[in-house]
Amino acid sequence: MTTPWDDWNHILKLDPDKELPDGVTYGDLCATGTDAIEVGGTMGITEENMSAVIEACAEHDVALYQEPSNPEVVLEDDALDGYLIPTVFNAGSPFWITEAHKEWVRLEGDLDWERTTTEAYIVMNPEADVAELTEANCDLGADDVAAYATVAEHMFGQEIVYVEYSGTLGDEGVVEAAAHATDESTLFYGGGIHDYDSAYSMAQHADVIVVGDLAHDEGIEAVRETVEAANDA
């Protein structure tokens, strides 16, 4: 079975709780050459700010996905190509593995399953908001991450395995181990990508790199560099 992300190299993740640099618009970011826009964040996310970013991106010709941090901010919007739903495999609390997902189904009933895909997150930066929120065990070696990736693909059938270092550039050896452990799943990597070289190094191993803070901190040209690196790798 083919998926949209089979053909992706680069995702730009936009956080509705963060501002853009002066003079930068969402349209500018959509035109950087990224394969997809993912709208989501961990803290300060509301229906209102999520909707504002989705609406601003919807008029541009780029794949658009929502990554909701909890069921209360999921938006039913035809402009979205789909929903990427994190399930944190190394979470300390079961809420972030299955409980939040169960609540979403309980509250909403019949979801749009054709447009909904889970992402098997492996959170690796203990200082990141997502690690604190999910009480993730980040004290993992490359072999642990590889094992999680294998479990995600072969036991749980996850189409996406996501090694997440949110806020810091990760260990290339860990990402390489995850890449070797996955056969059919698409490997996403996110965290600390800030220029061509950092993007290229991670794109050597991950199928798709996810760039987030750079858009909010630096703007268009910096993002374009990472797109170029992802396509060159």
Side-chain angles (χ1 to χ4, degrees):
M1 182 182 71
T2 59
T3 65
W5 36 91
D6 286 341
D7 297 322
W8 295 355
N9 296 319
H10 187 283
I11 294 172
L12 184 58
K13 182 183 286 191
L14 299 175
D15 188 333
D17 193 44
K18 295 180 180 178
E19 300 293 328
L20 298 183
D22 290 343
V24 174
T25 69
Y26 288 109
D28 294 332
L29 293 170
C30 290
T32 54
T34 187
D35 295 301
I37 300 290
E38 187 176 45
V39 184
T42 302
M43 308 301 287
I45 305 301
T46 66
E47 281 191 25
E48 291 74 18
N49 61 21
M50 184 76 82
S51 179
V53 176
I54 289 171
E55 288 180 12
C57 295
E59 59 192 72
H60 301 282
D61 187 22
V62 62
L64 181 60
Y65 286 76
Q66 185 186 16
E67 187 187 62
S69 55
N70 66 75
E72 295 177 356
V73 299
V74 176
L75 299 178
E76 294 183 14
D77 193 323
D78 290 338
L80 292 168
D81 290 282
Y83 305 89
L84 297 175
I85 310 299
T87 175
V88 182
F89 269 51
N90 60 324
S93 166
F95 184 81
W96 302 107
I97 304 172
T98 56
E99 284 295 308
H101 314 73
K102 179 268 290 180
E103 280 301 291
W104 183 23
V105 171
R106 185 180 67 82
L107 293 171
E108 296 296 328
D110 188 20
L111 303 185
D112 187 352
W113 294 113
E114 290 188 2
R115 293 198 299 159
T116 301
T117 305
T118 51
E119 308 165 291
Y121 261 68
I122 307 166
V123 174
M124 292 297 291
N125 179 10
E127 297 181 1
D129 288 341
V130 64
E132 294 182 10
L133 182 67
T134 63
E135 302 173 27
N137 172 21
C138 303
D139 186 19
L140 303 175
D143 57 340
D144 296 307
V145 173
Y148 269 125
T150 300
V151 167
E153 178 177 318
H154 292 287
M155 290 187 178
F156 289 86
Q158 296 293 288
E159 295 179 19
I160 297 168
V161 175
Y162 193 144
V163 178
E164 171 66 287
Y165 274 88
S166 185
T168 190
L169 191 64
D171 183 332
E172 194 173 339
V174 167
V175 182
E176 183 178 14
H180 288 159
T182 50
D183 298 316
E184 299 296 330
S185 298
T186 300
L187 180 64
F188 286 13
Y189 169 81
I193 293 174
H194 58 278
D195 58 11
Y196 181 97
D197 290 341
S198 57
Y200 187 88
S201 66
M202 291 305 173
Q204 288 280 295
H205 308 294
D207 298 306
V208 181
I209 60 169
V210 182
V211 174
D213 289 344
L214 195 65
H216 299 281
D217 296 339
E218 301 295 337
I220 305 164
E221 291 306 320
V223 172
R224 282 192 179 128
E225 278 192 22
T226 66
V227 172
E228 182 182 354
N231 291 333
D232 287 347

